Every structure is written in structure tokens, then in C-alpha cells.
Amino acid sequence: MRQAFHDQLDAIFADLADLCGDVERAVRLATEALLQGDSSVAEQVISGDAEIDAEREQIEDSALLLLSLQAPVASDLRTVVAALRMVSDLERMGDLSVHVAKIARLRVPNVAVPEPMRPTIERMAELAETMVARTSHVIAERDVDEARSLAEADEEMDRLRRTTFADMLSADWEHGVEAAVDVALLGRYYERIADHAVSVANRVVFVVTGETPYAVDA
């Protein structure tokens, strides 16, 4: 009975890793739409969010069914509850990718990011995508060391976000209010993707070690 329980639990974590891979793709495509001003790619991200939502529901159903059919001990219960919270984080990362894609679509045929801001936004997008990919590995392998190392990438993301504000508030800003709002929102979306990645990774640390990293959200 216990082996069957752990097999089902492993299947849930495999599904979480797969979902994380789909989120990574959404982040990548949303960035492509944003930087190229491509409405068709933006629509692909927006319509694809339904699949991410469906995956979340399937994982939640599997976890709740596991709880209802088994009597998990403390450590097993901790793992199932963590999985339920992780899937919520992953689904939210997909939503944030949709927000990026909607800004891209709104500004077509133009590009939402002013040229001087492009290197910063490109780096934020690259960092977000990389963090999501690393999170997928953390989930699949229960890699505690990799999970903990994501905090360093998150610190870089925070620095980049501060840079966007400094640029927008400088006397040299000449791109108008609309562009400033777009850049502010995009910075927030990529920063939140990174935050959710760290949250998921920290929940894996919790599952493996029983320790609660400071950055895990309530």
C-alpha cells in the first residue's frame, strides 16, 4: 500500500515538472511576441493558457484523490500539501506570461519596449525563462542544492527591476507615459515569475528536508 502511495506521489511530481516545462515555453513565447511585436505568437500564449489551467486541475485532482484514498503520515502529508501549493505557483507563472503576451499584442504593429530599455528587459526575460527551467529540474530531481541557488538569480532579477525604475524616473526618459507603464508592468511580471520559481524551489527544499526556507510564501 505504501509503495503504491509513493508511486502515485512520484507521478504527481513528474506532472509538476511537465507543467513547469510548459510554463517555460509560455515565458519564452511571450518574450518572443514582446520583443518582435508578433501578435500571432502572443495569441498562441494567450490561448495556450487554457492547457496550463487544465494541467493544474488534473494535478490538483490527483493530489486530492491521493489524500482521500490514503492515510498519509506527517512527511507524506507535507509532500502532498507542498505539491498543491506548487501547482498554484506554476499556474500563476503561466498567467504572468499571458500578461506579457497581452502587452505585446496591445502594441502591435509597434514593440512595447523602447530601444534603450531592450537590453534590460531582454535580460529579465532570459533570467525568468532560465529560472523556470531550473525549477523544472529541481522538481524532477528533488535537487535541494539547485533549489537554494535560485535565490542568487532572484537577486539579479530584483536589481534589474530597480534599474528599470531608475531609467524611467531619470531626466533622460523621453518615451512617454504609455511606454513607462508598459515597462513598469513588464518588470513586475518577470520579477513575479522569478519569485514564484523561488517559491516552488523552496517548497521542494521543504519536502526533502523538512526545513522551511524564509522565502516560501504563506
Side-chain angles (χ1 to χ4, degrees):
M1 181 67 73
R2 302 311 302 170
Q3 185 58 50
F5 175 86
H6 286 288
D7 287 346
Q8 293 172 57
L9 201 53
D10 287 343
I12 289 173
F13 267 72
D15 289 341
L16 284 169
D18 289 343
L19 174 56
C20 197
D22 290 339
V23 170
E24 179 192 350
R25 179 173 181 271
V27 174
R28 182 175 69 254
L29 291 177
T31 300
E32 178 183 333
L34 176 70
L35 296 177
Q36 297 183 10
D38 192 323
S39 60
S40 64
V41 176
E43 291 292 351
Q44 188 178 345
V45 176
I46 295 164
S47 62
D49 191 54
E51 182 177 346
I52 289 176
D53 291 343
E55 288 180 80
R56 173 192 175 168
E57 291 179 7
Q58 183 269 316
I59 293 170
E60 287 179 336
D61 289 346
S62 296
L64 293 172
L65 182 63
L66 192 58
L67 285 175
S68 66
L69 295 179
Q70 304 285 350
V73 298
S75 60
D76 292 337
L77 180 62
R78 179 176 74 208
T79 303
V80 177
V81 171
L84 287 167
R85 292 184 173 180
M86 289 159 64
V87 75
S88 179
D89 279 317
L90 293 171
E91 190 265 342
R92 182 59 184 146
M93 291 154 76
D95 289 342
L96 290 161
S97 300
V98 169
H99 293 337
V100 172
K102 286 182 175 179
I103 288 180
R105 183 180 64 179
L106 182 65
R107 302 306 175 203
V108 171
N110 298 315
V111 174
V113 182
E115 193 61 32
M117 297 298 298
R118 192 177 180 98
T120 301
I121 295 299
E122 284 180 342
R123 179 55 187 157
M124 293 183 82
E126 178 186 21
L127 197 57
E129 183 183 340
T130 300
M131 289 179 71
V132 178
R134 291 171 64 186
T135 300
S136 182
H137 168 81
V138 167
I139 295 170
E141 302 297 330
R142 315 276 181 100
D143 189 334
V144 170
D145 291 336
E146 179 72 358
R148 287 174 169 152
S149 71
L150 280 175
E152 296 177 7
D154 193 45
E155 289 175 1
E156 181 183 354
M157 182 69 83
D158 292 341
R159 288 195 298 271
L160 289 166
R161 179 90 194 286
R162 290 192 293 271
T163 297
T164 65
F165 276 109
D167 290 342
M168 288 185 293
L169 294 173
S170 75
D172 297 332
W173 182 262
E174 56 184 21
H175 308 289
V177 174
E178 185 177 88
V181 171
D182 285 345
V183 169
L185 289 173
L186 290 166
R188 177 60 173 165
Y189 297 152
Y190 283 121
E191 180 189 43
R192 287 302 295 154
I193 289 170
D195 289 343
H196 284 293
V198 171
S199 179
V200 171
N202 284 341
R203 294 193 196 286
V204 173
V205 174
F206 177 63
V207 165
V208 175
T209 68
E211 301 172 3
T212 305
Y214 177 76
V216 169
D217 299 329

mmCIF file of all heavy atoms in Angstrom, residues 143-175:
data_model
loop_
_atom_site.group_PDB
_atom_site.id
_atom_site.type_symbol
_atom_site.label_atom_id
_atom_site.label_comp_id
_atom_site.label_asym_id
_atom_site.label_seq_id
_atom_site.Cartn_x
_atom_site.Cartn_y
_atom_site.Cartn_z
ATOM 1 N N ASP A 143 16.221 18.399 -6.242
ATOM 2 C CA ASP A 143 17.593 18.879 -6.101
ATOM 3 C C ASP A 143 17.628 20.074 -5.140
ATOM 4 O O ASP A 143 17.344 21.217 -5.531
ATOM 5 C CB ASP A 143 18.133 19.274 -7.482
ATOM 6 C CG ASP A 143 19.621 19.580 -7.487
ATOM 7 O OD1 ASP A 143 20.148 19.980 -6.423
ATOM 8 O OD2 ASP A 143 20.252 19.423 -8.551
ATOM 9 N N VAL A 144 17.989 19.830 -3.910
ATOM 10 C CA VAL A 144 17.977 20.870 -2.881
ATOM 11 C C VAL A 144 19.038 21.932 -3.145
ATOM 12 O O VAL A 144 18.787 23.138 -2.985
ATOM 13 C CB VAL A 144 18.167 20.235 -1.486
ATOM 14 C CG1 VAL A 144 18.392 21.295 -0.427
ATOM 15 C CG2 VAL A 144 16.963 19.373 -1.130
ATOM 16 N N ASP A 145 20.229 21.527 -3.543
ATOM 17 C CA ASP A 145 21.299 22.494 -3.797
ATOM 18 C C ASP A 145 20.913 23.459 -4.916
ATOM 19 O O ASP A 145 21.118 24.674 -4.814
ATOM 20 C CB ASP A 145 22.600 21.779 -4.148
ATOM 21 C CG ASP A 145 23.195 21.034 -2.967
ATOM 22 O OD1 ASP A 145 22.882 21.414 -1.816
ATOM 23 O OD2 ASP A 145 23.978 20.087 -3.189
ATOM 24 N N GLU A 146 20.351 22.928 -5.991
ATOM 25 C CA GLU A 146 19.921 23.779 -7.105
ATOM 26 C C GLU A 146 18.777 24.681 -6.667
ATOM 27 O O GLU A 146 18.717 25.857 -7.049
ATOM 28 C CB GLU A 146 19.488 22.910 -8.294
ATOM 29 C CG GLU A 146 18.994 23.686 -9.501
ATOM 30 C CD GLU A 146 20.099 24.414 -10.249
ATOM 31 O OE1 GLU A 146 21.272 24.367 -9.813
ATOM 32 O OE2 GLU A 146 19.801 25.047 -11.279
ATOM 33 N N ALA A 147 17.875 24.146 -5.860
ATOM 34 C CA ALA A 147 16.759 24.949 -5.354
ATOM 35 C C ALA A 147 17.264 26.160 -4.583
ATOM 36 O O ALA A 147 16.805 27.289 -4.780
ATOM 37 C CB ALA A 147 15.856 24.091 -4.472
ATOM 38 N N ARG A 148 18.216 25.922 -3.713
ATOM 39 C CA ARG A 148 18.743 27.021 -2.895
ATOM 40 C C ARG A 148 19.506 28.045 -3.727
ATOM 41 O O ARG A 148 19.530 29.238 -3.400
ATOM 42 C CB ARG A 148 19.624 26.452 -1.788
ATOM 43 C CG ARG A 148 18.807 25.752 -0.691
ATOM 44 C CD ARG A 148 19.687 25.060 0.319
ATOM 45 N NE ARG A 148 18.916 24.619 1.486
ATOM 46 C CZ ARG A 148 19.239 23.577 2.253
ATOM 47 N NH1 ARG A 148 20.306 22.850 1.973
ATOM 48 N NH2 ARG A 148 18.479 23.256 3.284
ATOM 49 N N SER A 149 20.121 27.600 -4.816
ATOM 50 C CA SER A 149 20.922 28.514 -5.629
ATOM 51 C C SER A 149 20.059 29.473 -6.445
ATOM 52 O O SER A 149 20.567 30.491 -6.948
ATOM 53 C CB SER A 149 21.837 27.720 -6.572
ATOM 54 O OG SER A 149 21.088 27.097 -7.605
ATOM 55 N N LEU A 150 18.773 29.186 -6.571
ATOM 56 C CA LEU A 150 17.906 30.080 -7.330
ATOM 57 C C LEU A 150 17.786 31.457 -6.689
ATOM 58 O O LEU A 150 17.459 32.436 -7.363
ATOM 59 C CB LEU A 150 16.510 29.460 -7.478
ATOM 60 C CG LEU A 150 16.347 28.401 -8.569
ATOM 61 C CD1 LEU A 150 14.958 27.794 -8.504
ATOM 62 C CD2 LEU A 150 16.591 28.994 -9.948
ATOM 63 N N ALA A 151 18.037 31.538 -5.404
ATOM 64 C CA ALA A 151 17.947 32.827 -4.720
ATOM 65 C C ALA A 151 18.914 33.842 -5.320
ATOM 66 O O ALA A 151 18.612 35.043 -5.380
ATOM 67 C CB ALA A 151 18.222 32.646 -3.230
ATOM 68 N N GLU A 152 20.072 33.383 -5.795
ATOM 69 C CA GLU A 152 21.051 34.299 -6.391
ATOM 70 C C GLU A 152 20.510 34.906 -7.683
ATOM 71 O O GLU A 152 20.670 36.115 -7.933
ATOM 72 C CB GLU A 152 22.354 33.558 -6.661
ATOM 73 C CG GLU A 152 23.064 33.051 -5.408
ATOM 74 C CD GLU A 152 24.310 32.252 -5.736
ATOM 75 O OE1 GLU A 152 24.691 32.212 -6.923
ATOM 76 O OE2 GLU A 152 24.907 31.677 -4.803
ATOM 77 N N ALA A 153 19.869 34.069 -8.489
ATOM 78 C CA ALA A 153 19.277 34.577 -9.728
ATOM 79 C C ALA A 153 18.159 35.560 -9.416
ATOM 80 O O ALA A 153 17.974 36.569 -10.117
ATOM 81 C CB ALA A 153 18.747 33.414 -10.573
ATOM 82 N N ASP A 154 17.411 35.287 -8.372
ATOM 83 C CA ASP A 154 16.321 36.172 -7.989
ATOM 84 C C ASP A 154 16.851 37.536 -7.551
ATOM 85 O O ASP A 154 16.225 38.575 -7.805
ATOM 86 C CB ASP A 154 15.509 35.534 -6.862
ATOM 87 C CG ASP A 154 14.194 36.259 -6.628
ATOM 88 O OD1 ASP A 154 13.503 36.570 -7.613
ATOM 89 O OD2 ASP A 154 13.861 36.504 -5.455
ATOM 90 N N GLU A 155 18.009 37.554 -6.917
ATOM 91 C CA GLU A 155 18.616 38.828 -6.520
ATOM 92 C C GLU A 155 18.991 39.656 -7.754
ATOM 93 O O GLU A 155 18.824 40.884 -7.761
ATOM 94 C CB GLU A 155 19.853 38.565 -5.659
ATOM 95 C CG GLU A 155 19.524 38.033 -4.266
ATOM 96 C CD GLU A 155 20.768 37.666 -3.483
ATOM 97 O OE1 GLU A 155 21.885 37.845 -4.019
ATOM 98 O OE2 GLU A 155 20.631 37.193 -2.342
ATOM 99 N N GLU A 156 19.490 38.990 -8.792
ATOM 100 C CA GLU A 156 19.795 39.715 -10.028
ATOM 101 C C GLU A 156 18.519 40.287 -10.636
ATOM 102 O O GLU A 156 18.501 41.429 -11.119
ATOM 103 C CB GLU A 156 20.488 38.809 -11.047
ATOM 104 C CG GLU A 156 20.832 39.551 -12.333
ATOM 105 C CD GLU A 156 21.463 38.674 -13.408
ATOM 106 O OE1 GLU A 156 21.748 37.490 -13.134
ATOM 107 O OE2 GLU A 156 21.655 39.192 -14.527
ATOM 108 N N MET A 157 17.445 39.496 -10.605
ATOM 109 C CA MET A 157 16.169 39.979 -11.135
ATOM 110 C C MET A 157 15.716 41.232 -10.383
ATOM 111 O O MET A 157 15.252 42.204 -10.988
ATOM 112 C CB MET A 157 15.109 38.889 -11.026
ATOM 113 C CG MET A 157 13.756 39.278 -11.595
ATOM 114 S SD MET A 157 13.742 39.460 -13.399
ATOM 115 C CE MET A 157 13.542 37.731 -13.890
ATOM 116 N N ASP A 158 15.850 41.208 -9.086
ATOM 117 C CA ASP A 158 15.455 42.378 -8.287
ATOM 118 C C ASP A 158 16.295 43.601 -8.655
ATOM 119 O O ASP A 158 15.776 44.726 -8.726
ATOM 120 C CB ASP A 158 15.598 42.073 -6.794
ATOM 121 C CG ASP A 158 14.592 41.044 -6.303
ATOM 122 O OD1 ASP A 158 13.577 40.827 -6.997
ATOM 123 O OD2 ASP A 158 14.823 40.458 -5.234
ATOM 124 N N ARG A 159 17.585 43.392 -8.889
ATOM 125 C CA ARG A 159 18.455 44.513 -9.285
ATOM 126 C C ARG A 159 18.022 45.083 -10.640
ATOM 127 O O ARG A 159 17.992 46.302 -10.844
ATOM 128 C CB ARG A 159 19.915 44.059 -9.350
ATOM 129 C CG ARG A 159 20.555 43.798 -7.988
ATOM 130 C CD ARG A 159 22.070 43.711 -8.102
ATOM 131 N NE ARG A 159 22.496 42.603 -8.946
ATOM 132 C CZ ARG A 159 22.727 41.369 -8.504
ATOM 133 N NH1 ARG A 159 22.555 41.076 -7.225
ATOM 134 N NH2 ARG A 159 23.133 40.421 -9.331
ATOM 135 N N LEU A 160 17.677 44.199 -11.561
ATOM 136 C CA LEU A 160 17.230 44.646 -12.875
ATOM 137 C C LEU A 160 15.930 45.435 -12.777
ATOM 138 O O LEU A 160 15.738 46.433 -13.480
ATOM 139 C CB LEU A 160 17.053 43.438 -13.801
ATOM 140 C CG LEU A 160 18.349 42.753 -14.241
ATOM 141 C CD1 LEU A 160 18.049 41.391 -14.853
ATOM 142 C CD2 LEU A 160 19.101 43.626 -15.239
ATOM 143 N N ARG A 161 15.041 44.990 -11.904
ATOM 144 C CA ARG A 161 13.777 45.721 -11.722
ATOM 145 C C ARG A 161 14.051 47.129 -11.214
ATOM 146 O O ARG A 161 13.449 48.108 -11.663
ATOM 147 C CB ARG A 161 12.894 44.959 -10.735
ATOM 148 C CG ARG A 161 11.549 45.669 -10.470
ATOM 149 C CD ARG A 161 10.494 45.206 -11.440
ATOM 150 N NE ARG A 161 9.323 46.066 -11.444
ATOM 151 C CZ ARG A 161 8.408 46.099 -10.482
ATOM 152 N NH1 ARG A 161 8.520 45.317 -9.421
ATOM 153 N NH2 ARG A 161 7.352 46.889 -10.597
ATOM 154 N N ARG A 162 14.967 47.248 -10.275
ATOM 155 C CA ARG A 162 15.313 48.575 -9.765
ATOM 156 C C ARG A 162 15.919 49.442 -10.869
ATOM 157 O O ARG A 162 15.690 50.656 -10.931
ATOM 158 C CB ARG A 162 16.270 48.455 -8.573
ATOM 159 C CG ARG A 162 15.606 47.879 -7.323
ATOM 160 C CD ARG A 162 16.490 48.056 -6.107
ATOM 161 N NE ARG A 162 17.714 47.264 -6.174
ATOM 162 C CZ ARG A 162 17.834 46.015 -5.726
ATOM 163 N NH1 ARG A 162 16.794 45.407 -5.178
ATOM 164 N NH2 ARG A 162 18.981 45.368 -5.811
ATOM 165 N N THR A 163 16.670 48.816 -11.764
ATOM 166 C CA THR A 163 17.264 49.542 -12.884
ATOM 167 C C THR A 163 16.192 50.126 -13.793
ATOM 168 O O THR A 163 16.309 51.263 -14.269
ATOM 169 C CB THR A 163 18.185 48.610 -13.701
ATOM 170 O OG1 THR A 163 19.271 48.182 -12.880
ATOM 171 C CG2 THR A 163 18.740 49.319 -14.937
ATOM 172 N N THR A 164 15.133 49.356 -14.039
ATOM 173 C CA THR A 164 14.058 49.867 -14.903
ATOM 174 C C THR A 164 13.429 51.115 -14.291
ATOM 175 O O THR A 164 13.125 52.080 -15.005
ATOM 176 C CB THR A 164 12.975 48.805 -15.157
ATOM 177 O OG1 THR A 164 12.305 48.465 -13.941
ATOM 178 C CG2 THR A 164 13.566 47.553 -15.800
ATOM 179 N N PHE A 165 13.237 51.109 -12.982
ATOM 180 C CA PHE A 165 12.640 52.277 -12.336
ATOM 181 C C PHE A 165 13.585 53.474 -12.411
ATOM 182 O O PHE A 165 13.149 54.615 -12.650
ATOM 183 C CB PHE A 165 12.295 51.967 -10.882
ATOM 184 C CG PHE A 165 10.971 51.281 -10.724
ATOM 185 C CD1 PHE A 165 10.902 49.949 -10.349
ATOM 186 C CD2 PHE A 165 9.777 51.954 -10.966
ATOM 187 C CE1 PHE A 165 9.685 49.311 -10.209
ATOM 188 C CE2 PHE A 165 8.551 51.324 -10.833
ATOM 189 C CZ PHE A 165 8.501 49.995 -10.454
ATOM 190 N N ALA A 166 14.863 53.237 -12.186
ATOM 191 C CA ALA A 166 15.832 54.324 -12.265
ATOM 192 C C ALA A 166 15.831 54.946 -13.660
ATOM 193 O O ALA A 166 15.886 56.182 -13.811
ATOM 194 C CB ALA A 166 17.220 53.808 -11.905
ATOM 195 N N ASP A 167 15.747 54.106 -14.680
ATOM 196 C CA ASP A 167 15.737 54.610 -16.058
ATOM 197 C C ASP A 167 14.474 55.415 -16.341
ATOM 198 O O ASP A 167 14.515 56.480 -16.964
ATOM 199 C CB ASP A 167 15.844 53.450 -17.050
ATOM 200 C CG ASP A 167 17.212 52.800 -17.049
ATOM 201 O OD1 ASP A 167 18.163 53.438 -16.560
ATOM 202 O OD2 ASP A 167 17.332 51.654 -17.520
ATOM 203 N N MET A 168 13.330 54.915 -15.893
ATOM 204 C CA MET A 168 12.065 55.603 -16.165
ATOM 205 C C MET A 168 11.947 56.932 -15.423
ATOM 206 O O MET A 168 11.280 57.857 -15.883
ATOM 207 C CB MET A 168 10.885 54.696 -15.800
ATOM 208 C CG MET A 168 10.683 53.536 -16.766
ATOM 209 S SD MET A 168 9.203 52.592 -16.376
ATOM 210 C CE MET A 168 9.645 51.862 -14.786
ATOM 211 N N LEU A 169 12.577 57.015 -14.276
ATOM 212 C CA LEU A 169 12.482 58.229 -13.463
ATOM 213 C C LEU A 169 13.585 59.240 -13.768
ATOM 214 O O LEU A 169 13.590 60.338 -13.212
ATOM 215 C CB LEU A 169 12.524 57.857 -11.976
ATOM 216 C CG LEU A 169 11.326 57.057 -11.463
ATOM 217 C CD1 LEU A 169 11.563 56.612 -10.022
ATOM 218 C CD2 LEU A 169 10.036 57.858 -11.576
ATOM 219 N N SER A 170 14.492 58.877 -14.653
ATOM 220 C CA SER A 170 15.591 59.784 -14.977
ATOM 221 C C SER A 170 15.108 60.925 -15.871
ATOM 222 O O SER A 170 14.087 60.822 -16.563
ATOM 223 C CB SER A 170 16.722 59.026 -15.677
ATOM 224 O OG SER A 170 16.365 58.737 -17.013
ATOM 225 N N ALA A 171 15.854 62.013 -15.848
ATOM 226 C CA ALA A 171 15.501 63.173 -16.674
ATOM 227 C C ALA A 171 15.642 62.871 -18.162
ATOM 228 O O ALA A 171 15.086 63.591 -19.007
ATOM 229 C CB ALA A 171 16.393 64.355 -16.296
ATOM 230 N N ASP A 172 16.363 61.797 -18.500
ATOM 231 C CA ASP A 172 16.591 61.454 -19.905
ATOM 232 C C ASP A 172 15.447 60.662 -20.531
ATOM 233 O O ASP A 172 15.453 60.396 -21.728
ATOM 234 C CB ASP A 172 17.887 60.633 -20.042
ATOM 235 C CG ASP A 172 19.113 61.423 -19.622
ATOM 236 O OD1 ASP A 172 19.079 62.662 -19.749
ATOM 237 O OD2 ASP A 172 20.087 60.810 -19.158
ATOM 238 N N TRP A 173 14.459 60.253 -19.710
ATOM 239 C CA TRP A 173 13.350 59.433 -20.243
ATOM 240 C C TRP A 173 12.534 60.269 -21.232
ATOM 241 O O TRP A 173 12.018 61.334 -20.888
ATOM 242 C CB TRP A 173 12.455 58.946 -19.114
ATOM 243 C CG TRP A 173 11.341 58.059 -19.612
ATOM 244 C CD1 TRP A 173 10.045 58.427 -19.868
ATOM 245 C CD2 TRP A 173 11.421 56.666 -19.922
ATOM 246 N NE1 TRP A 173 9.317 57.341 -20.317
ATOM 247 C CE2 TRP A 173 10.140 56.256 -20.366
ATOM 248 C CE3 TRP A 173 12.465 55.734 -19.869
ATOM 249 C CZ2 TRP A 173 9.869 54.945 -20.738
ATOM 250 C CZ3 TRP A 173 12.191 54.423 -20.256
ATOM 251 C CH2 TRP A 173 10.922 54.028 -20.674
ATOM 252 N N GLU A 174 12.410 59.798 -22.455
ATOM 253 C CA GLU A 174 11.724 60.565 -23.498
ATOM 254 C C GLU A 174 10.722 59.724 -24.275
ATOM 255 O O GLU A 174 10.357 60.056 -25.400
ATOM 256 C CB GLU A 174 12.759 61.151 -24.459
ATOM 257 C CG GLU A 174 13.668 60.102 -25.082
ATOM 258 C CD GLU A 174 14.746 60.713 -25.969
ATOM 259 O OE1 GLU A 174 15.059 61.900 -25.810
ATOM 260 O OE2 GLU A 174 15.269 59.972 -26.836
ATOM 261 N N HIS A 175 10.251 58.628 -23.646
ATOM 262 C CA HIS A 175 9.387 57.698 -24.370
ATOM 263 C C HIS A 175 7.925 57.781 -23.961
ATOM 264 O O HIS A 175 7.102 56.991 -24.442
ATOM 265 C CB HIS A 175 9.914 56.269 -24.185
ATOM 266 C CG HIS A 175 11.358 56.129 -24.517
ATOM 267 N ND1 HIS A 175 11.831 56.196 -25.808
ATOM 268 C CD2 HIS A 175 12.452 55.983 -23.722
ATOM 269 C CE1 HIS A 175 13.152 56.075 -25.799
ATOM 270 N NE2 HIS A 175 13.544 55.938 -24.551
#
